[in-house]
Structure formats: C-alpha cells, structure tokens
C-alpha cells in the first residue's frame, strides 16, 4: 500500500529533496575547473524520478536548465530503457535537440539504484569552456559549431569509456579543462545518488514513486489554481529583435487561457535563419515555462508538476523550433526574449505582476580567445548583466540577469584565467527606461588585452536597434553597443581582433520603465540625480513635472 503524507511531513521531505539537489550543485561548484561554472553560475542539478521527471531542482544555477534536464532524461530513456541501466553508468549528451539547445552545454544523466532496483536519476548540465568549432552568432550550420555528442556512455558500469573520450577531447581547444568539468559533473551526480539513497533509507521508503506523486500533485494543483484565476481568452504580443540585416527576428506570441490550462503558441514568428540565433523546441519550452512560473506561481518549488498545465507550441522550421542541422550557438538571442513577449501579452490581465522588458533579455555575451605569452590557449567568457525591467512594485534591478540566472563572477578570477585587465566596470548613467518606476541600469565594461599578441573578441548580443520596451506607458531602456580600440563601434554579432594593449568596451542595455513617467515620485527623481543614475538633461526631458516640483 502506497504511503500517505500529511502536509507537515510532505513539507519536510520535500525540503530534504531540495537539499539533495543543492548539495549536488555545491559539489559541482567546488570541483569545477572553469570560472564559467564556479563564478558565472552556468549550470543546473536535479533529482529525477525513474521516468526522468524532475522531482527536486537546485535552488541556484540556471532555472530553465533544470526544466530542460527532465526533457533530456526522457530523450535518453528512449535510447536506453530502464532495463539496460547498471550501477556506475553515466550518459552524457550535448545534442541541442535533446539537451539545452546548443553544443557548449553538456547534460549528464546517471541512475540511482536502491535495494537493487532502479528508483531514479540524477542529472547535471554545465557550460563547457570549449566544445570545438567556431563560436559566434553568424555560423550557418550546426557542423560549424563544434562536436555534437549523441547520448553516449561516459561511464559504463563504473568504467570510463576512454576511446570515446579521447576522440571527443581531440576536437576541443582546452581538453584538460573540459575533462575536469566533466568529472566535476560525474562527482556531482554521484553525490546526488548517495544523498538520495540515504534519504530513502532514513525516510523508510523503497522508492520515490508515492512521494513524487504527492509532490508533483501539489505543484500541479498550485499552477492550475493560478491559471484558473485568470480570465479565459487569448492574449497576444509581437516583438521585434535585431536579428541580422537580411533576416530580422520577429516573435509572435499568443497565450490562450482555458480553465486551468494555458497554451503558448508562437505561430507567425520568423522562419529559421541561416545564422545561429535559432532555438530548438525544448529550449523554447524552457524559456517560456520559467517566466510564466515567476508570474503565475512564484512560491511553489519548481518540478515537473509545475509544467504540466502549460503547453508550448511553435511551428517547425521557425526560429523557435528550428530543424536540424540549423546553427543554434546564439539561441539565447531569441529564447531569452520570450519572457518579454509573454509579459507584454499578459500586461493586460496581470499589470501588477509582469516586468517591463529587461535589457538582458536577450543577454549580451562576449568571448576573448587567444594564446597567452606562454603559448597556452585561453577562452574567457564575459557574463556581465544588463538592467532588469521595472514592475508595478518598484524600479528594475540594475545589472541583474533575467530570465537567466548567470552572474559575472569575480573579476580577479577572470583576470587570473586570461591575460586581460578590467579597466572599467560601472553603472551606465541614463540607461534605465523612464517611468513611474525606472528600468534597471546597464553597465559599462572595458577590458584590455595584456597579451603581447593579438587576440580575438567574439560578441553575441542584441538590443542594438531594438531596446528593452517599457510597459503600460513606461519608456524603453538604452540601446546596447560595443567598440574596439582602433576599430571604433563594432556589431554586437561580430568577431574582431584586439591588439596588444588595446581595449574593448561594452555598453549594456538598460531595462524598460513601468507606467507613465509623469507619475514618478519627485523624491525618487532627486535621489537618482544625486546618485548619478540619471543626468540632469535626461531628468528634464523625461520627468519635467518632477523637475518643476523641485524648482
């Protein structure tokens, strides 16, 4: 007979499962070789059921990645059904149509056995320092972007598959770092397995089945209740992104609410392009579900139950459901912007919950690649953040990532990992969109090449021509831009040489404003002026009433 769980017991057990996923995450952070994981938070860990559904997702990391891990595990189980798994197995893949949407992210799944039975899976995903190929937004096909790994055994019965690994590592630029990060994921999965089996022992459970039903049921009911509180109907938005001069990106979003279910349809969006800004459907799904979870049911812990009431569709062959072998390296330039489309559509019925567009939706990423004076190859990826959009409750957060959760990390660590010097990293005055509540500020970041030879800067960004829009009368934030010393302004989708001693400067976009600027509190305008967040000229232009009150 399946056990029943009273509310108090369920809360205690649920919290302990989250702790299992969090300990796995802590292990990954402490054992990873590269700053991309340790400093920039580009990872996720999960405890999953025997059917590959997420049961407990780590508190940190990239929230959308946690949702993607469940879908990846279910793909893997179609190739490796339950009966073929053994103790000590570990399967990994970076296939964009199975895992997190582009090749640099490696997903890893390992089985959890208890009392001789397969009872669940642990999962990790992490951004690698290099995956071979050519990184950038202008790749034409997947084959240019690096090594694509189908679901394969990294470990089989506890033995590492050395021949396969040797072939893989021969095709990347920094094999030692990559191997170190892969083994960190293996270790994190092992910790998850040990803590999960210890949990079952202490809770006197034979498996996770009954507990998963209870947890998933509670999460699903919470999400259904939140959707049912919305008026039935269709809510639409359309947003424009820079894309490329010959192929700008349009995202069309229709949200249909019917009872306690919601459908998000992206029909009408741009066709997939011969560049790298395409998304796979699993990535589109993840970056739709997470922003909706934030506004509809922010308090219930995330897991598979949270996602069941929401269906996400996009026509195959569009930029949000690209067909293989489309290039997808810069998929976040389309996928991160889905939060903007969703919130613009819901502003009509949820004005007290949505955000204005965030300057980092999509995020600007930059990589500096070259060789040190000792001849060692290096890759440094900049994860600095733009400004978040404002809301009905206050100004947007400055230099804060959304809808991703990556961080810049320690500049000292980045400088230690590559021959670069951060000359400037400061808030960008006047970058937040005006409104009753001001958008968050972007930043200015200047980096010098300390190497005695030329290195290359690859920029993957948006918001050059389409800034973060305000909502309900709020004004847009500032555009993003970049410049290279000796070259001047460069495209946010470019690869440029950076000579010895020269600097590259990034101006990150600001978030959109919320509400009519005429309604902004004059004291808030005065505080912004005093702190240097806005200039007197912009204050006179955007807040004339407040400036008149001060006079």
């Amino acid at each position: 007979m399946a056990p029943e769980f009273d509310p108090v017991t369920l809360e205690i057990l649920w919290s302990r499962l989250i702790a299992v996923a969090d300990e796995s995450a802590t292990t990954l952070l402490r054992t990873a070789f590269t700053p991309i994981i340790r400093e920039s938070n580009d990872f996720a860990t999960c405890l999953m059921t025997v059917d590959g559904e997420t049961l407990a997702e780590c508190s940190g990391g990239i929230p959308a990645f946690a949702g993607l891990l469940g879908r990846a595990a279910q793909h893997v189980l179609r190739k490796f059904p339950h009966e073929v798994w053994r103790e000590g197995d570990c399967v990994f893949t970076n296939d964009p149509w199975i895992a997190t949407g582009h090749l640099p992210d490696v997903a890893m799944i390992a089985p959890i056995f208890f009392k001789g039975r397969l009872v669940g899976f642990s999962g990790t995903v992490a951004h690698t320092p290099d995956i071979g190929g050519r990184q950038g937004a202008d790749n034409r096909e997947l084959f240019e972007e690096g090594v694509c790994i189908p679901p394969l055994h990294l470990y089989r019965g506890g033995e590492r598959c050395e021949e396969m690994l040797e072939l893989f590592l021969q095709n990347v630029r920094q094999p030692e770092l990559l191997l170190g990060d892969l083994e960190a994921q293996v270790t994190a999965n092992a910790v998850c397995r040990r803590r999960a089996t210890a949990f079952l022992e202490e809770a006197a459970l034979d498996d996770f089945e009954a507990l998963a039903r209870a947890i998933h049921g509670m999460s699903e009911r919470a999400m259904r209740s939140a959707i049912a509180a919305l008026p039935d109907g269709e809510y639409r938005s359309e947003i424009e992104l820079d894309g490329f001069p010959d192929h700008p990106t349009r995202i069309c979003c229709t949200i249909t609410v019917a009872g306690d279910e919601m459908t998000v349809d992206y029909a009408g969006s741009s066709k997939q392009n011969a560049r790298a800004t395409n998304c796979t459907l699993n990535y589109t799904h993840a970056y739709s579900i997470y922003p909706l979870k934030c506004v509809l049911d922010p308090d219930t812990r995330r897991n598979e139950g949270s996602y069941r009431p929401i269906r996400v569709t996009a026509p195959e062959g569009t930029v949000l459901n690209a067909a293989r072998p489309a290039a997808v390296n810069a998929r976040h330039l389309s996928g991160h912007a889905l939060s903007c489309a969703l919130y613009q559509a819901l502003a009509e019925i949820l004005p007290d919950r949505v955000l204005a567009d965030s300057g980092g939706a999509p995020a600007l990423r930059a990589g500096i690649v070259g060789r040190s004076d000792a001849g060692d190859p290096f890759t440094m990826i900049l994860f600095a953040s733009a400004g978040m959009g404002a809301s009905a409750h206050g100004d947007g957060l400055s230099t804060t990532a959304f809808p991703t959760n990556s961080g810049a990390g320690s500049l000292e660590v980045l400088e230690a990992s590559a021959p670069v010097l951060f000359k400037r990293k400061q808030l960008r005055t006047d970058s937040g969109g005006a409104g009753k509540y001001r958008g968050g500020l972007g930043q200015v970041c200047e980096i010098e090449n300390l190497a005695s030879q030329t290195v290359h800067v690859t920029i993957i960004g948006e918001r050059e021509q389409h800034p973060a829009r305000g909502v309900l009368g709020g004004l847009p934030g500032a555009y993003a831009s970049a410049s290279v010393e000796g070259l001047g302004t460069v495209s946010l989708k470019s690869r440029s040489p950076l000579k010895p001693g020269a600097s590259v400067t990034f101006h990150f976009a600001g978030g959109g404003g919320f509400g009519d600027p005429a309604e902004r509190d004059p004291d808030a305008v005065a505080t912004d002026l005093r702190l240097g967040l806005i200039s007197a000229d912009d204050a006179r232009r955007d807040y004339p009433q407040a400036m008149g009150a001060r006079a």
Side-chain angles (χ1 to χ4, degrees):
M1 183 175 176
E4 297 290 332
F5 303 96
D6 64 80
V8 173
T9 301
L10 183 60
E11 177 64 21
I12 292 171
L13 295 179
W14 197 349
S15 297
R16 288 196 59 193
L17 290 179
I18 298 296
V20 170
D22 283 346
E23 187 167 352
S24 175
T26 300
T27 301
L28 181 55
L29 285 170
R30 290 182 175 178
T31 57
F33 277 41
T34 58
I36 300 171
I37 300 171
R38 294 195 321 267
E39 298 290 324
S40 298
N41 211 47
D42 204 343
F43 76 96
T45 61
C46 283
L47 171 64
M48 294 174 284
T49 69
V50 73
D51 293 320
E53 296 181 325
T54 60
L55 180 58
E57 302 176 3
C58 66
S59 304
I62 306 294
F65 278 10
L68 279 163
L69 264 171
R71 294 172 71 88
Q74 292 161 43
H75 275 285
V76 169
L77 282 169
R78 287 195 278 274
K79 181 175 181 180
F80 300 111
H82 294 120
E83 59 270 19
V84 305
W85 291 87
R86 300 186 303 181
E87 291 266 16
D89 283 358
C90 187
V91 170
F92 74 142
T93 180
N94 68 342
D95 186 321
W97 282 263
I98 294 175
T100 69
H102 75 170
L103 297 177
D105 293 325
V106 172
M108 193 175 291
I109 312 296
I112 298 172
F113 285 86
F114 183 62
K115 296 181 179 179
R117 292 175 53 229
L118 179 64
V119 296
F121 290 91
S122 63
T124 61
V125 63
H127 194 296
T128 62
D130 180 72
I131 202 69
R134 180 176 180 272
Q135 304 305 304
D138 58 348
N139 293 330
R140 300 289 179 147
E141 287 187 310
L142 181 71
F143 308 114
E144 297 178 55
E145 298 186 324
V147 183
C148 184
I149 310 162
L152 294 174
H153 282 91
L154 178 60
Y155 279 82
R156 186 64 163 156
E159 295 293 325
R160 198 165 75 180
C161 302
E162 298 291 351
E163 290 183 355
M164 177 279 303
L165 189 59
E166 182 181 6
L167 175 63
F168 173 35
L169 295 179
Q170 283 288 333
N171 287 279
V172 300
R173 297 174 180 87
Q174 296 177 290
E176 295 85 3
L177 289 179
L178 179 51
L179 180 57
D181 283 354
L182 289 176
E183 288 293 352
Q185 288 185 252
V186 172
T187 303
N189 277 334
V191 167
C192 184
R193 173 182 55 78
R194 291 198 298 269
R195 295 296 179 260
T197 54
F199 167 87
L200 290 173
E201 190 76 51
E202 293 168 17
L205 296 172
D206 291 329
D207 53 44
F208 292 108
E209 290 183 19
L211 184 56
R213 281 196 300 271
I215 289 174
H216 287 158
M218 181 174 287
S219 298
E220 183 174 350
R221 287 191 296 274
M223 180 59 81
R224 288 191 182 278
S225 177
I227 294 172
L230 306 177
D232 285 1
E234 289 189 351
Y235 307 96
R236 302 175 185 273
S237 69
E238 185 174 306
I239 65 173
E240 303 284 340
L241 298 170
D242 301 346
F244 289 85
D246 61 342
H247 204 299
T249 302
R250 174 181 291 107
I251 295 175
C252 298
C253 175
T254 300
I255 300 175
T256 302
V257 178
D260 62 358
E261 295 187 343
M262 176 181 284
T263 299
V264 180
D265 182 22
Y266 293 108
S269 298
S270 297
K271 298 293 184 184
Q272 73 181 66
N273 58 64
R275 302 294 200 284
T277 55
N278 300 294
C279 295
T280 59
L281 185 59
N282 54 343
Y283 191 79
T284 294
H285 180 271
Y287 273 92
S288 300
I289 292 291
Y290 176 65
L292 290 171
K293 181 78 169 68
C294 290
V295 296
L296 296 175
D297 180 31
D299 297 323
T300 308
R301 298 175 177 118
R302 307 181 313 270
N303 56 58
E304 186 72 24
S306 308
Y307 314 141
R308 289 172 180 167
I310 303 174
R311 181 169 173 261
V312 179
T313 64
E316 187 173 12
T318 61
V319 71
L320 299 178
N321 185 8
R324 187 186 291 270
V328 291
N329 184 63
R331 87 288 199 225
H332 74 281
L333 296 187
S334 302
H336 284 185
L338 299 180
S339 62
C340 304
L342 293 164
Y343 290 170
Q344 293 285 345
L346 291 174
E348 174 187 347
I349 56 172
L350 293 175
D352 60 329
R353 296 194 218 172
V354 300
L355 298 175
D357 292 3
S358 291
L364 190 160
R365 296 283 181 258
I368 299 179
V369 181
R371 289 187 176 273
S372 68
D373 289 347
D376 299 321
F378 72 87
T379 301
M380 190 214 77
I381 300 180
L382 178 67
F383 279 83
S385 299
M388 276 184 70
S391 72
H393 306 288
D395 295 344
L397 299 176
S398 296
T399 61
T400 302
F402 184 82
T404 182
N405 192 32
S406 55
S410 164
L411 300 188
E412 290 79 8
V413 169
L414 295 178
E415 289 175 338
S417 67
V420 298
L421 173 68
F422 283 80
K423 298 177 66 176
R424 185 165 41 136
K425 201 167 188 291
Q426 63 191 49
L427 290 176
R428 184 183 175 192
T429 300
D430 292 332
S431 57
K436 179 180 180 180
Y437 296 108
R438 172 185 44 72
L441 271 62
Q443 61 181 295
V444 180
C445 186
E446 183 178 359
I447 307 172
E448 180 183 348
N449 173 21
L450 296 182
S452 61
Q453 55 191 306
T454 297
V455 299
H456 286 86
V457 180
T458 299
I459 307 174
I460 302 176
E462 272 278 343
R463 301 282 184 215
E464 215 168 356
Q465 302 167 30
H466 295 86
R469 294 188 302 179
V471 71
L472 300 175
L475 300 184
Y479 297 92
S481 65
S483 61
V484 174
E485 191 175 347
L487 298 177
T489 300
V490 296
S491 167
L492 294 185
K493 298 180 182 69
S494 64
R495 186 172 187 267
S496 304
L498 185 64
K499 295 181 178 180
S503 296
V504 55
T505 303
F506 302 97
H507 290 80
F508 287 77
F514 187 102
D516 187 346
E519 298 179 18
R520 186 160 179 79
D521 184 346
D523 288 341
V525 175
T527 298
D528 285 351
L529 281 167
R530 178 173 56 83
L531 296 177
L533 307 182
I534 61 174
S535 66
D537 287 345
D538 273 28
R540 282 191 289 268
R541 183 193 66 201
D542 295 332
Y543 305 109
Q545 291 177 311
M547 295 299 284
R550 289 181 73 239

